[in-house]
C-alpha cells in the first residue's frame, strides 16, 4: 500500500490553536489541491482526535473529480477511515454519513457496546491489534485486504507521528500558511512522543508557492541518526 500524508500548518508548524478547533490555514487553491489528492486516493484516514475536534466529512467536493472517479468504476468519494481504539466516534459524526464507506478501526479491547453502536450508525468496524491501542501496521494490512492501495492520511499530529514511527509513510506534503498560531499545547504536524536518536529522513522533491503560502513535497527515505 502507498501511504501519503498531507496537512496544513502555520509558519510555526501548528495544525491548529491550543483550543484544537479547526483552523482554515489553506487558501482556495490549496483546498482544490487537497480535493485532487483525495480524489486520487482509495481512502482518507484521520485519528479520532480529528473527528472529535473537526467533525470532518473528508469527501471529494469537485463534481468533475467525482465524475472521473465514477467513470473509472470507483465510488464518487474515497472510503473514510477513523483510527479509534475504544470506539469514541460519535454515532452522529458527519464522517458516518452515507457519502462513502467509513471504516472505524478499533483495538481488540474496544467495548462491544461501542462496536455495536458504530455498526448501527453505518460504520464498518475493523479490529486491528490485540491490545488497548490500534496497531497501525495491522490496521493498514486490514485496509489493504479491503482493496485500499493508496491511502491519504490527513492527520492529526498523533496519528501522523504513529504512521512515521511504524515506518508506514511514503510521501509527505505540507502546506505552510502565512500565519502564526503559537501555543505550547497546540497540535503540531508530528506530535506523539517525538523521535530522538533516529528520525525519519526526508527527500525534498518540490517547493511551490500556493495561495499566500508554500507547498513542500517530500519523499520518505527511511531513517537517519540525529548526530550526523
Ligand atoms: N491543519 C490540518 O491540516 C489538520 C489539522 N488537524 C487538527 O489536529 C487536531 C487533532 O489532532 P490530534 O489531537 O493529534 O488527533 P488525531 O487525529 O491524530 O487522533 C489521535 C487519536 O487517535 C487515536 N489513536 C488510535 N490508535 C492510535 C495510534 N496507533 N497512534 C496514534 N493515535 C491513535 C488515539 O485515541 P484513542 O486512544 O482513543 O484511540 C489518539 O488520541 C485538531 O485540532 C484538528 O483540527 C487535523 C488534521 C489536519
Ligand atoms: N489541507 C487542510 N488545510 C486546512 O487549512 C485545514 N484546516 C485542513 N483540515 C483537514 O481537513 C478536514 C476537514 O475537511 P472537510 O471539511 O471534511 O472536507 C479536517 O478534519 C482536517 O483533517 N486541511
Amino acid at each position: 500500500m502507498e501511504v501519503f500524508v498531507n496537512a496544513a500548518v502555520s509558519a510555526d508548524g501548528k495544525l491548529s490553536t491550543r483550543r484544537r478547533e479547526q483552523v482554515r490555514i489553506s487558501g482556495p487553491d490549496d483546498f482544490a489541491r487537497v480535493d485532487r489528492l483525495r480524489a486520487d486516493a482509495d481512502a482518507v484516514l484521520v485519528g479520532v482526535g480529528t473527528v472529535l475536534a473537526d467533525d470532518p466529512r473528508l469527501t471529494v467536493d469537485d463534481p468533475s473529480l467525482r465524475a472521473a472517479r465514477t467513470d473509472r468504476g470507483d465510488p464518487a468519494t474515497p472510503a473514510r477511515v477513523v483510527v479509534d481504539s475504544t470506539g469514541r466516534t460519535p454515532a452522529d459524526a458527519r464522517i458516518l454519513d452515507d457519502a462513502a464507506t467509513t471504516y472505524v478501526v478499533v483495538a481488540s479491547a474496544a467495548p462491544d457496546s461501542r462496536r455495536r453502536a458504530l455498526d448501527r450508525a453505518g460504520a464498518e468496524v475493523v479490529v486491528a491489534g490485540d491490545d488497548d491501542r490500534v496497531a497501525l501496521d495491522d490496521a493498514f494490512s486490514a485496509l489493504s485486504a479491503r482493496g485500499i492501495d493508496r491511502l491519504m492520511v490527513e492527520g492529526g499530529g498523533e496519528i501522523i507521528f504513529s504512521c512515521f514511527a511504524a515506518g508506514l509513510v511514503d510521501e509527505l506534503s505540507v502546506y505552510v500558511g502565512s500565519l502564526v498560531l503559537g501555543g505550547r499545547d497546540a497540535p503540531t504536524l508530528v506530535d506523539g512522543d517525538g523521535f530522538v536518536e533516529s528520525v525519519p529522513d526526508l527527500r525534498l522533491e518540490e517547493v511551490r508557492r500556493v495561495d499566500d503560502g508554500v507547498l513542500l513535497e517530500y519523499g520518505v527515505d527511511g531513517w537517519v541518526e540525529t548526530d550526523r
Side-chain angles (χ1 to χ4, degrees), residues 169-213:
V169 182
D170 299 302
E171 295 163 38
L172 168 69
S173 48
V174 188
Y175 177 76
V176 184
S178 295
L179 73 175
V180 171
L181 294 174
R184 67 183 64 81
D185 295 327
T188 72
L189 179 66
V190 183
D191 286 327
D193 291 334
F195 302 107
V196 181
E197 284 160 6
S198 183
V199 304
D201 191 18
L202 304 182
R203 179 177 9 94
L204 183 62
E205 302 274 16
E206 172 86 11
V207 179
R208 184 156 44 96
R209 183 181 178 127
V210 179
D211 298 311
D212 192 26

Side-chain angles (χ1 to χ4, degrees), residues 92-158:
D92 62 353
R94 298 201 309 158
I95 206 162
L96 295 176
D97 67 13
D98 58 8
T101 303
T102 301
Y103 299 101
V104 178
V105 186
V106 300
S108 55
D112 281 344
S113 58
R114 287 306 311 153
R115 295 190 205 190
R116 282 195 300 273
L118 287 165
D119 183 61
R120 278 196 302 275
E124 190 163 322
V125 178
V126 174
V127 182
D130 48 9
D131 213 336
D132 289 346
R133 196 169 217 216
V134 170
L136 288 182
D137 45 1
D138 290 349
F140 285 20
S141 299
L143 295 171
S144 185
R146 286 163 175 77
I148 293 168
D149 295 326
R150 191 162 160 79
L151 178 68
M152 176 177 183
V153 176
E154 287 210 22
E158 291 294 331

